[in-house]
Amino acid sequence: MQILKQHSDHFWYMTPVAETDRPILGAVVGDTHTLMIDAGNSEAHTNLFLDALAGQGIKRPTLVALTHWHWDHIFGLSALTDTVSIASTATKAGIERLLPYSWDDVALAERVEDGREIAFCAEAIQLEYGEDRSMRVVLPTVTFEDTLTLDLGGVHVLLKHVGGDHAADAVVAYVPEGKVLFLGDALYANLYAPSWRMTPGQTLRLLDVLDQFDAEAYVWSHGQVVTRPEYEKDRDVLRSLARITLDFPGNKELITAQYEHLTERKVDEEEEELISFFVNGSNGEA
Ligand SMILES: [Zn+2]
């Protein structure tokens, strides 16, 4: 079940759903405006969030910021008719590519076949929507290139285009009051590839960019809101694996051996998966 949680005076969020790929939705609550972060994967998702906010007496969002163009973060936009939507120009371009698409099973299967869609998303869309595929792709109203600062009244949000393997248009949202960094999907692997992958170069660059934010809480859109020490643990694993991958590109055995040597223990399941992403992202295989 999805729950609306209060993280601080200014930041609320609703927990994600793995099966239907519903990401965390955030609300940054200021004196003059409420900003919603990500629009949801369907009108049902969005409305569930809006109702939960209303239930807590929180002002309805007048602004919504998108973290990237992927369907599960934007399909709810059509339910936000009186909300000004904000996205990077790259995200808007990504959404524009979706405009001509149909979302019935045949069209989805065709796009999975030719690589424009991935099976994982097609299945989640089928689960979220059932037979009714009346979703309408809506373009964002306000766009920015690199950064945009919003003053919500006593609380601010910095939107920054950071890119990365998961989505070249990825934007993070930073709330200095409360030190929350909304990561979106930025640090996840590239799923729109023949095999899920991460490149050491993009990973190291992105981790350095994220290190510039003075944050105490980090929001992984398809995971949890974690503390800084928890984030740093995951960050250090990623950074270490990325660096080792540069020395042994595409070589699973050597990357694993070197990592186990450095950590003086066996890799766990999560690390094993990350190593496979780095192998896929560094050996040039199709
Ligand atoms: Zn995504």
Side-chain angles (χ1 to χ4, degrees):
M1 200 183 88
Q2 288 169 276
I3 310 166
L4 182 71
K5 290 188 172 179
Q6 179 169 24
H7 173 80
S8 65
D9 284 353
H10 300 296
F11 183 64
W12 296 68
Y13 66 96
M14 198 164 70
T15 52
V17 181
E19 303 74 47
T20 49
D21 213 20
R22 287 185 173 186
I24 286 179
L25 298 180
V28 186
V29 184
D31 295 332
T32 47
H33 288 281
T34 298
L35 169 77
M36 182 168 168
I37 303 178
D38 276 333
N41 77 347
S42 64
E43 294 198 357
H45 185 204
T46 310
N47 287 327
L48 182 70
F49 183 66
L50 294 178
D51 289 346
L53 290 179
Q56 294 294 330
I58 296 165
K59 265 198 317 278
R60 189 181 164 91
T62 44
L63 303 162
V64 56
L66 306 174
T67 59
H68 61 303
W69 64 268
H70 291 164
W71 75 277
D72 49 317
H73 300 256
I74 64 144
F75 275 9
L77 260 188
S78 57
L80 294 162
T81 47
D82 50 2
T83 307
V84 176
S85 49
I86 304 165
S88 71
T89 48
T91 295
K92 184 178 184 181
I95 298 172
E96 271 169 338
R97 284 197 294 273
L98 303 179
L99 286 173
Y101 289 174
S102 307
W103 302 94
D104 56 85
D105 288 348
V106 174
L108 281 172
E110 259 175 36
R111 292 204 296 278
V112 170
E113 185 65 33
D114 68 23
R116 280 178 295 165
E117 189 52 90
I118 50 177
F120 172 73
C121 290
E123 282 160 24
I125 288 169
Q126 284 159 343
L127 259 182
E128 174 69 29
Y129 284 85
E131 293 299 306
D132 174 22
R133 306 289 166 78
S134 57
M135 58 279 250
R136 198 163 50 81
V137 174
V138 173
L139 293 176
T141 302
V142 177
T143 49
F144 65 95
E145 286 294 331
D146 182 47
T147 60
L148 184 71
T149 303
L150 302 170
D151 184 342
L152 306 175
V155 56
H156 299 76
V157 179
L158 172 71
L159 301 173
K160 183 171 172 58
H161 176 200
V162 296
D165 286 316
H166 182 80
D169 63 317
V171 164
V172 296
Y174 176 64
V175 188
E177 296 87 358
K179 299 189 177 180
V180 176
L181 185 62
F182 201 102
L183 296 169
D185 292 358
L187 274 175
Y188 297 132
N190 175 7
L191 313 185
Y192 284 84
S195 60
W196 292 11
R197 57 189 60 192
M198 298 180 92
T199 63
Q202 282 291 341
T203 302
L204 292 170
R205 180 196 62 78
L206 183 53
L207 291 175
D208 286 348
V209 170
L210 298 177
D211 272 349
Q212 290 163 17
F213 293 97
D214 177 22
E216 293 298 336
Y218 294 78
V219 184
W220 295 84
S221 280
H222 293 280
Q224 289 181 329
V225 179
V226 300
T227 63
R228 185 182 181 96
E230 288 170 316
Y231 169 76
E232 286 179 343
K233 209 167 144 233
D234 289 336
R235 175 200 66 184
D236 293 346
V237 170
L238 278 171
R239 190 171 265 147
S240 173
L241 287 174
R243 283 184 181 148
I244 295 169
T245 302
L246 287 176
D247 291 334
F248 308 105
N251 192 322
K252 188 178 176 186
E253 288 69 33
L254 287 178
I255 294 169
T256 306
Q258 178 66 2
Y259 186 75
E260 290 184 338
H261 173 71
L262 286 173
T263 56
E264 298 178 333
R265 59 169 175 80
K266 289 277 172 204
V267 290
D268 64 27
E269 218 174 298
E270 210 171 307
E271 289 160 342
E272 216 171 59
E273 187 180 45
L274 288 172
I275 289 170
S276 73
F277 293 163
F278 279 118
V279 169
N280 296 337
S282 63
N283 66 2
E285 89 173 5

